Amino acid sequence: MDNHHPSPTSDHWVPCSTCSPGGVPESAEDSSGPETAQVSTPHTGTPHTKEPGTRARRRPIPRKGHTKSRLGCFHCKRRKVKCQETIPSCSNCARVGLVCEYPERPRMASAFSASVITVVPTNSLQSSTATVFTQEDMRYFHHFLVTAYPPLPIQGDQIWMQTACLSHSYDYLMHAMLGLAASHLDLHGGNCSSQALAHRVKAIQSLNNSLSKPCSSQAEGDARFAAMMALAFQASCMAEGMPEFLAMSRGCHIIANTAMGSMKNSLFREFTQEGYCDSVRRVIGIVPLDLSEDEEILIGDFLKSLRALGPLCKSPLEVKFLASTEAIAKAARTSASEAFSQFAALYSLFNHSSNEEFAPFIDPNNHPAQLLFIHFVLIEFAIGHIALTTCNKGGRFAYRKRTCIAWMEKLAAGLPVEYEKYAEWPMNYVRRLAAR
């Protein structure tokens, strides 16, 4: 968030309306002239005769009282006006088009200060209708900031904190963030599925409307990219969200190339394939893994099951996906960071494939591809578990155990009988995993 504040001499500064009570300066001359006047004392009301040649003492006009605003925003404090303390923007700042910023507050001191909060869009790209978010939405917003923001970029918590500031100006980003947080809570027993879906639908509708127009600023490009990422990771929390997760991942790549390619100062400017690999090596290290005997057996059995799919793979994308998944498993035997880096190469297969290649690849009736996905979900989970347990740096990486199991079970349930034998080993592993 920009920490620059307009000075009191800027065009947005207005004088405080309470500086001169009643609109009359204290030095104003009495219009009664030198004649004798009667005034009443505050206590007795007894008339007093004003001496000739003296000025009558005016009764002080009391200030209009108000409750002191102790947690007001910086602009209201500077202008000495009462702040409504509404989040994310008070009405004073919204009225004059200022970015409303508050001093640091005690944790959750004012997150639930009102039952509804009105977010007034501050740029012409938004509709003129204010978007109303409920107190429950503020719970999701807090959960997003603290726990549910996407795990990528690696160690990117500050990036997402800055991105959250953009949500006050872009409806689709706010709804995408709230939807992800609600799905994350629902995954952990929060019973928020209906709210998560409602925010997801609104985010997609609003984002599609925005994407129909050229991107006009760096902030808008970042907001579009962040919303697409939030939608992708929301899908990763949904039991039936795998097709949407893959489609949204492709959408992130498209937006990065079309809306952010020339924006050198983007919040996500270092989130490239090369930047991801560098971040993985920095976090996990490059020390070879010390695999246990069971882990060696796991990788060996996985490679055996994966290679059995070779004769089934016909399209170029299927063949490349098989080879890339095998490379990940082999790399895991020596280097966790190298295995993680290989995932970036695998996802790039989706991102750079044409619509004609991608659509049949994710078709539920493409059974060889469905088998490839079963193995892909399993190896992604297994390597994350092995590598992050070994280096004790789980941090923002999400194992998504429950979702991975649900995805694999759904993929296996759609296989014809003649394909079930190819899923036998990974699904046996999943059943053991679910029983833990």
Side-chain angles (χ1 to χ4, degrees):
M1 181 179 295
D2 189 357
N3 292 321
H4 174 72
H5 306 296
S7 67
T9 57
S10 69
D11 292 338
H12 295 301
W13 182 83
V14 293
C16 174
S17 60
T18 60
C19 290
S20 54
V24 181
E26 293 180 357
S27 60
E29 294 290 339
D30 185 16
S31 60
S32 61
E35 291 85 359
T36 301
Q38 290 186 336
V39 294
S40 299
T41 63
H43 303 290
T44 65
T46 304
H48 290 268
T49 302
K50 181 180 176 182
E51 295 294 335
T54 62
R55 186 171 56 185
R57 294 176 60 93
R58 293 178 54 83
R59 176 186 295 178
I61 301 176
R63 282 175 173 265
K64 182 179 179 180
H66 62 74
T67 304
K68 190 173 184 63
S69 173
R70 300 185 181 276
L71 297 175
C73 71
F74 290 118
H75 292 302
C76 287
K77 285 179 177 293
R78 182 177 295 109
R79 295 162 52 199
K80 294 183 172 61
V81 297
K82 178 173 173 57
C83 181
Q84 294 77 27
E85 298 182 23
T86 52
I87 298 174
S89 177
C90 70
S91 61
N92 294 333
C93 290
R95 178 171 54 82
V96 296
L98 295 176
V99 177
C100 191
E101 298 181 64
Y102 289 91
E104 186 175 353
R105 305 182 180 193
R107 186 178 182 86
M108 294 303 291
S110 61
F112 303 110
S113 59
S115 60
V116 296
I117 291 177
T118 301
V119 179
V120 181
T122 58
N123 64 71
S124 59
L125 296 172
Q126 295 291 295
S127 63
S128 59
T129 304
T131 303
V132 178
F133 295 100
T134 67
Q135 186 173 12
E136 185 72 8
D137 292 333
M138 293 302 100
R139 174 195 176 202
Y140 301 147
F141 187 74
H142 175 261
H143 185 66
F144 176 90
L145 294 177
V146 174
T147 302
Y149 58 90
L152 296 176
I154 297 172
Q155 294 184 332
D157 52 329
Q158 290 303 312
I159 292 176
W160 283 105
M161 298 308 104
Q162 295 176 64
T163 302
C165 298
L166 297 177
S167 66
H168 306 326
S169 298
Y170 299 94
D171 288 354
Y172 50 80
L173 177 55
M174 177 65 83
H175 284 299
M177 289 165 51
L178 298 180
L180 170 55
S183 288
H184 189 274
L185 281 170
D186 187 69
L187 189 63
H188 294 84
N191 193 26
C192 309
S193 59
S194 60
Q195 296 93 324
L197 180 59
H199 281 299
R200 184 174 182 81
V201 170
K202 291 177 181 177
I204 292 174
Q205 290 175 341
S206 182
L207 181 57
N208 282 338
N209 182 58
S210 176
L211 292 173
S212 67
K213 309 166 189 175
C215 184
S216 62
S217 67
Q218 174 190 309
E220 187 178 18
D222 284 349
R224 290 178 176 184
F225 182 80
M228 189 68 77
M229 279 198 70
L231 289 168
F233 279 97
Q234 182 185 9
S236 75
C237 295
M238 300 161 59
E240 299 183 355
M242 185 172 181
E244 289 190 52
F245 175 76
L246 297 175
M248 294 295 178
S249 297
R250 272 171 56 86
C252 290
H253 173 74
I254 294 171
I255 290 178
N257 285 337
T258 58
M260 300 167 59
S262 61
M263 298 179 182
K264 305 300 183 183
N265 295 320
S266 167
L267 292 173
F268 298 94
R269 59 187 175 276
E270 296 181 0
F271 186 42
T272 61
Q273 183 171 335
E274 295 77 13
Y276 169 80
C277 295
D278 290 341
S279 298
V280 167
R281 296 185 187 99
R282 184 173 61 252
V283 172
I284 299 178
I286 58 175
V287 178
L289 283 176
D290 184 17
L291 297 178
S292 67
E293 183 178 351
D294 289 342
E295 290 168 344
E296 282 282 6
I297 294 173
L298 171 65
I299 294 177
D301 289 346
F302 174 84
L303 286 169
K304 182 179 178 180
S305 178
L306 181 66
R307 288 165 182 159
L309 305 181
L312 302 178
C313 297
K314 303 300 181 183
S315 73
L317 186 54
E318 292 168 5
V319 174
K320 292 177 183 177
F321 192 92
L322 175 64
S324 184
T325 307
E326 184 176 359
I328 291 171
K330 289 179 178 179
R333 282 177 160 165
T334 58
S335 171
S337 61
E338 184 59 30
F340 265 108
S341 298
Q342 289 285 344
F343 278 115
L346 189 147
Y347 276 105
S348 71
L349 291 177
F350 301 132
N351 298 338
H352 292 93
S353 63
S354 65
N355 290 333
E356 290 74 19
E357 293 175 309
F358 182 73
F361 186 63
I362 63 171
D363 188 335
N365 294 318
N366 184 346
H367 304 304
Q370 300 291 286
L371 288 165
L372 288 172
F373 286 137
I374 289 175
H375 286 76
F376 163 69
V377 173
L378 176 57
I379 195 64
E380 187 175 41
F381 173 85
I383 288 180
H385 180 74
I386 293 171
L388 300 175
T389 300
T390 301
C391 69
N392 195 29
K393 292 183 180 179
R396 289 295 305 151
F397 290 96
Y399 294 157
R400 302 198 309 269
K401 175 180 176 180
R402 191 178 307 176
T403 304
C404 289
I405 293 172
W407 282 5
M408 293 176 69
E409 289 178 341
K410 181 172 178 59
L411 289 166
L415 294 173
V417 175
E418 60 269 27
Y419 285 93
E420 289 179 352
K421 61 181 180 180
Y422 296 101
E424 184 175 349
W425 180 84
M427 295 315 297
N428 284 336
Y429 180 85
V430 165
R431 281 186 281 274
R432 295 196 303 271
L433 186 64
R436 293 178 187 173

